[in-house]
Amino acid sequence: GDSVTQMEGPVTLSEEAFLTINCTYTATGYPSLFWYVQYPGEGLQLLLKATKADDKGSNKGFEATYRKETTSFHLEKGSVQVSDSAVYFCALLDTGRRALTFGSGTRLQVQP
Amino acid sequence: DTAVSQTPKYLVTQMGNDKSIKCEQNLGHDTMYWYKQDSKKFLKIMFSYNNKELIINETVPNRFSPKSPDKAHLNLHINSLELGDSAVYFCASSQTPGASASEQYFGPGTRLTVT
């Protein structure tokens, strides 16, 4: 079945540091890949997505590239801010499936 | 102008009670979902409806019964609540089930606490 594996958190960084959150997946079809963000006390917001191999999703300074050869979709940001502190979820939507499969989430804490 | 709304936001109740959570979306989407987020933040699909028809029913106790009176609403009724039902329940909607570019929009969540 489909699955998503994320690096365990929390990830603690200083402001302006470089961020990488690793995400790998297994899927039977040709999935679309997503990163969602959950700020404290709020629901999930779509951060970025990629629908096919080699696509790069980007938003608010975050980027992730769909790598089929390594089945990965790592999230990166060049310079994090305190306001980026949140839980980040990697997710996939496989061909023919009708619901997202989520990773376990990675908590990011950015210190001033 | 809330896209996906849920009520209530917080729900505290005792074991054995029956409760309902309501969800409404004003995006014109034809598919709605219920996800459960446990205490470790893990999210898992429970149910999905497309045009009022149940299309996903994961391994969920039959104490949980979703109902979709129309495309814009998906409610979740839970009978005989148990301690293990304590979680945050998220409603979501999307335009087309399974479409590669379709994204899901989430509500703010309902935090259910069973004592």
Side-chain angles (χ1 to χ4, degrees):
Chain A
D2 299 341
S3 67
V4 177
T5 303
Q6 287 181 239
M7 59 189 290
E8 284 199 28
V11 173
T12 303
L13 296 173
S14 297
E15 212 165 16
E16 299 184 2
F18 185 86
L19 168 71
T20 300
I21 300 178
N22 289 339
C23 171
T24 57
Y25 67 90
T26 58
T28 54
Y30 301 93
S32 295
L33 301 173
F34 304 83
W35 277 101
Y36 279 84
V37 58
Q38 184 178 26
Y39 296 102
E42 297 185 12
L44 282 81
Q45 302 174 25
L46 179 66
L47 182 58
L48 52 84
K49 67 180 181 184
T51 59
K52 61 183 188 298
D54 299 326
D55 269 1
K56 177 187 280 188
S58 61
N59 186 26
K60 300 181 182 180
F62 291 89
E63 292 183 341
T65 301
Y66 189 141
R67 301 283 188 204
K68 190 177 178 184
E69 63 275 13
T70 54
T71 61
S72 65
F73 193 54
H74 304 321
L75 182 68
E76 297 182 336
K77 187 175 184 183
S79 176
V80 294
Q81 305 300 313
V82 173
S83 57
D84 294 327
S85 298
V87 180
Y88 292 81
F89 292 91
C90 186
L92 68 82
L93 185 64
D94 205 353
T95 312
R97 280 280 292 166
R98 295 173 176 181
L100 291 163
T101 299
F102 283 92
S104 55
T106 302
R107 181 179 299 278
L108 170 65
Q109 298 173 338
V110 181
Q111 297 175 337
Chain B
D1 286 14
T2 304
V4 183
S5 60
Q6 295 179 228
T7 54
K9 190 167 183 180
Y10 300 97
L11 183 54
V12 181
T13 189
Q14 292 184 329
M15 281 174 43
N17 285 347
D18 303 338
K19 291 293 178 185
S20 292
I21 306 171
K22 296 186 176 182
C23 178
E24 177 180 3
Q25 55 95 4
N26 62 6
L27 297 167
H29 290 165
D30 51 16
T31 304
M32 297 184 72
Y33 311 79
W34 279 112
Y35 288 86
K36 180 180 179 181
Q37 185 177 45
D38 63 23
S39 58
K40 295 185 178 180
K41 297 287 189 182
F42 189 69
L43 275 152
K44 190 170 182 183
I45 184 70
M46 299 175 68
F47 301 104
S48 178
Y49 272 75
N50 175 249
N51 283 322
K52 302 195 296 175
E53 179 186 349
L54 182 66
I55 58 172
I56 294 177
N57 186 353
E58 294 291 297
T59 308
V60 175
N62 57 15
R63 298 181 294 104
F64 290 77
S65 53
K67 282 191 171 50
S68 181
D70 55 57
K71 281 192 340 180
H73 296 84
L74 179 61
N75 304 323
L76 183 64
H77 188 75
I78 315 170
N79 289 328
S80 303
L81 278 155
E82 300 178 356
L83 292 176
D85 298 332
S86 296
V88 181
Y89 293 84
F90 285 101
C91 178
S93 71
S94 67
Q95 181 55 40
T96 306
S100 62
S102 178
E103 63 182 79
Q104 295 183 17
Y105 292 80
F106 284 77
T110 295
R111 181 175 295 277
L112 171 65
T113 303
V114 182
T115 61

